[in-house]
Amino acid sequence: MTEAVQSSYDAKLFIGGEFVASSTGQTMPVVDPSSGREIGRLEAAGEADVDQAVRVAHAAFESGVWRDLPVQQRARILNKFADLFEADIEAFFRLETLNNGRPIGETRAQISRLPQFYRYFAALALTRRSDVIPIEGDYLSYTQRVPLGVAALMTSFNHPLMILSKSLAPALATGNSVVIKPSEQTPLTTVRLVGLLKQAGVPDGVVNVVNGEGRVAGAALAAHPLIKKIVFTGGTEVGRSIGEAAARSFAKSTLELGGKGAVIVFDDMDLERAVNGAAFAAFIGAGQTCVCGARILAQRSMYPQFLERFRAKIQSIRVGDPSDARTQLGPVISARSRDRILAMLDRAVKDGAKLLAGGSAASGAGEGFYLQPTALYDADPSSEIAQEEVFGPVTVVMPFEDEAEALRIANGTRFGLAASIWTQDVARAHRVASKLVFGIVWINDHHRLDPASPWGGFKQSGTGRETGIESFDQFTEPRSVTLNMSGKTIDWYNDDGTAKRLN
């Protein structure tokens, strides 16, 4: 047996409770985006490795070793895991910051809440009731929630542990087995996490990890006929292909895809609160979130003052080494991402957008993939920069006259994941929220997530929901059970002239 928690920066596969090398013999670099240097190697799974992981997970599910465990015992194990996770949390803060470049303050704030996700779904497993259905006649009809089988959890680089926990917690709480495919760019905290699940008592084979390229390992996992549910977080086009693969085997899918979040600021809002909220929405995580405040809509009567204060706020943000507690903005994930963002900014300026602040690579921040926090203004709402996901520390500030125009601009995108409304008018807040075509709406806040609240989008931002009772139920199928309580069985084929009920 190998050690339960892997301590190096080399990311192996985890199959059947063991850390193992891939059958391909191929590895990929794991890079620290703050320095651009290689910090480890990732085992690149091939189709055979994926097939083995899925079959091991399927065998574990069919054996009933986790599925048939009394729910009280499953909940006890998940709570024990949450305790182990919490005890090891400092190592997770530092490892995630090293691997994906988020400032340690952000990483600490986010990951410290994740044990709560496992405790919440453990509690939900203990308390979620099935339905008793009133039907005609002398019958008792009720439902049972049945786990699906093997779930594929495919996560992205920006929030590796948070995105994983949103689905891993309900998947395990409901009795499923899982195969996890983390981003090839940020596998390290996932590999550490599965070791703790084993220590907590999750049986071997219930949780498995296949590392490697999305186009190889991810594609093989999405297309595997034994997969019963796929959860994917990533780009819309890749999500579409995964949804199509799932449909071919009638697997369920939950897809959290792209976004072009709107931050709507009305002129009755305190200017300082509005500026602070907009900056948080736009630049937390270096803007590498699907719910990023990528479009800031400021009411025209306050637009000049907002631009002035927002520029000053942006220029005050400290860019630097993410392991330094004073750093407020870290690097983007890769050189490729940095160059793509800079190219989008060049096109935006050529298309007529004006630069408010930033706009280039950050000098003096080290050898990593750093960008200045950037805001553009007076961009055409239909332009590329105002319509397409940048996935970097870039936002666009646009004016609006009234509620109707704010709604037209905010809803005028193919995405519909998240938006926020900033106003002191309670009636306006609820009125506007009810007309926004987004799956998540915050009022006088942004980027808030709780395990009890459903998370997901409308339109091309995806389908299905993570977290909440909705996610819990979507990892199960309802079984309808109907009991004849009359003590009689009708002889349908006895022609005795009595009225008989068919349905």
Side-chain angles (χ1 to χ4, degrees):
M1 291 285 291
T2 56
E3 62 176 343
V5 174
Q6 188 171 312
S7 59
S8 76
Y9 296 150
D10 292 332
K12 291 188 174 182
L13 314 185
F14 187 73
I15 300 176
E18 300 277 352
F19 288 111
V20 298
S22 72
S23 64
T24 65
Q26 297 176 351
T27 62
M28 301 170 64
V30 180
V31 174
D32 170 8
S34 72
S35 66
R37 67 182 179 90
E38 182 178 314
I39 56 173
R41 302 295 297 182
L42 170 148
E43 295 282 344
E47 291 185 10
D49 299 307
V50 173
D51 181 64
Q52 180 190 6
V54 174
R55 291 187 183 281
V56 165
H58 178 70
F61 180 78
E62 289 297 313
S63 75
V65 66
W66 182 250
R67 176 194 67 191
D68 298 337
L69 204 62
V71 66
Q72 293 81 3
Q73 195 167 343
R74 279 208 309 268
R76 192 176 301 120
I77 290 171
L78 287 177
N79 280 312
K80 181 179 179 181
F81 163 71
D83 292 342
L84 290 171
F85 188 6
E86 207 160 54
D88 198 33
I89 206 91
E90 187 68 31
F92 281 102
F93 297 155
R94 299 192 179 281
L95 190 57
E96 186 136 311
T97 286
L98 175 70
N99 199 184
N100 84 338
R102 289 191 75 176
I104 189 71
E106 288 187 19
T107 304
R108 188 185 303 275
Q110 185 176 81
I111 294 179
S112 64
R113 294 195 63 236
L114 296 186
Q116 178 186 353
F117 283 62
Y118 297 90
R119 293 181 180 123
Y120 169 79
F121 282 104
L124 195 54
L126 292 171
T127 57
R128 184 80 172 120
R129 296 178 178 179
S130 60
D131 297 317
V132 175
I133 305 166
I135 66 173
E136 185 179 351
D138 201 7
Y139 293 93
L140 171 65
S141 184
Y142 61 93
T143 60
Q144 297 174 324
R145 284 280 172 185
V146 182
L148 300 173
V150 183
L153 310 182
M154 305 170 73
T155 64
S156 63
F157 71 81
N158 52 339
H159 311 291
L161 280 184
M162 186 269 284
I163 289 173
L164 174 61
S165 295
K166 284 194 298 182
S167 292
L168 179 60
L172 293 179
T174 47
N176 295 279
S177 295
V178 300
V179 178
I180 303 165
K181 163 60 179 76
S183 166
E184 57 268 33
Q185 295 171 303
T186 55
L188 298 182
T189 48
T190 297
V191 170
R192 189 176 186 91
L193 192 80
V194 296
L196 290 184
L197 285 163
K198 180 181 173 73
Q199 281 189 19
V202 176
D204 292 348
V206 173
V207 177
N208 306 272
V209 177
V210 289
N211 291 305
E213 290 187 279
R215 63 184 179 86
V216 179
L221 185 58
H224 200 289
L226 291 178
I227 294 295
K228 299 302 180 184
K229 180 177 175 72
I230 300 173
V231 181
F232 171 78
T233 299
T236 296
E237 295 311 312
V238 176
R240 181 176 286 112
S241 67
I242 288 172
E244 290 170 354
R248 283 194 287 272
S249 58
F250 299 101
K252 294 177 177 288
S253 61
T254 295
L255 307 173
E256 200 250 77
L257 308 178
K260 197 68 177 177
V263 176
I264 306 172
V265 181
F266 287 96
D267 61 7
D268 66 332
M269 190 65 192
D270 175 78
L271 186 58
E272 184 175 358
R273 278 191 70 187
V275 167
N276 290 340
F280 174 72
F283 302 122
I284 199 79
Q288 296 175 121
T289 74
C290 295
V291 298
C292 167
R295 296 175 300 151
I296 298 170
L297 282 56
Q299 196 154 20
R300 193 174 295 279
S301 55
M302 68 180 298
Y303 186 62
Q305 296 94 331
F306 182 90
L307 289 177
E308 181 181 353
R309 293 282 289 274
F310 195 51
R311 178 193 286 115
K313 187 69 178 181
I314 293 169
Q315 291 172 341
S316 75
I317 295 174
R318 295 189 297 273
V319 181
D321 179 357
S323 66
D324 186 337
R326 297 169 298 176
T327 294
Q328 297 173 322
L329 187 75
V332 294
I333 192 63
S334 66
R336 180 180 177 183
S337 182
R338 177 195 60 198
D339 295 345
R340 176 187 56 77
I341 294 165
L342 288 172
M344 287 188 75
L345 290 175
D346 285 343
R347 292 195 297 272
V349 172
K350 289 176 182 175
D351 287 344
K354 299 172 184 174
L355 192 63
L356 182 69
S360 63
S363 60
E367 298 299 319
F369 315 125
Y370 293 94
L371 288 169
Q372 296 174 334
T374 298
L376 301 159
Y377 69 105
D378 286 0
D380 185 333
S382 65
S383 65
E384 179 195 39
I385 200 68
Q387 286 289 318
E388 298 303 320
E389 193 169 35
V390 178
F391 227 67
V394 176
T395 191
V396 180
V397 187
M398 296 177 283
F400 69 89
E401 289 291 343
D402 52 22
E403 286 182 29
E405 187 175 20
L407 286 164
R408 179 180 60 78
I409 297 172
N411 290 332
T413 169
R414 64 191 175 106
F415 299 114
L417 184 56
S420 60
I421 304 162
W422 298 78
T423 181
Q424 300 286 10
D425 185 329
V426 174
R428 169 191 278 161
H430 290 289
R431 184 169 61 244
V432 174
S434 71
K435 296 177 181 178
L436 284 169
V437 188
F438 291 85
I440 306 163
V441 178
W442 296 286
I443 297 172
N444 297 340
D445 213 329
H446 204 95
H447 276 288
R448 298 304 172 189
L449 168 64
D450 190 273
S453 180
W455 181 279
F458 297 167
K459 299 191 284 188
Q460 293 190 36
S461 286
T463 183
R465 291 296 180 268
E466 296 174 285
T467 57
I469 290 173
E470 292 80 2
S471 175
F472 186 89
D473 287 350
Q474 287 171 15
F475 276 101
T476 66
E477 288 279 17
R479 174 193 288 139
S480 174
V481 179
T482 302
L483 168 68
N484 181 344
M485 298 191 299
S486 70
K488 301 175 183 177
T489 300
I490 295 173
D491 183 355
W492 181 264
Y493 300 102
N494 179 9
D495 189 13
D496 59 5
T498 60
K500 298 180 176 68
R501 176 179 170 179
L502 180 62
N503 294 318

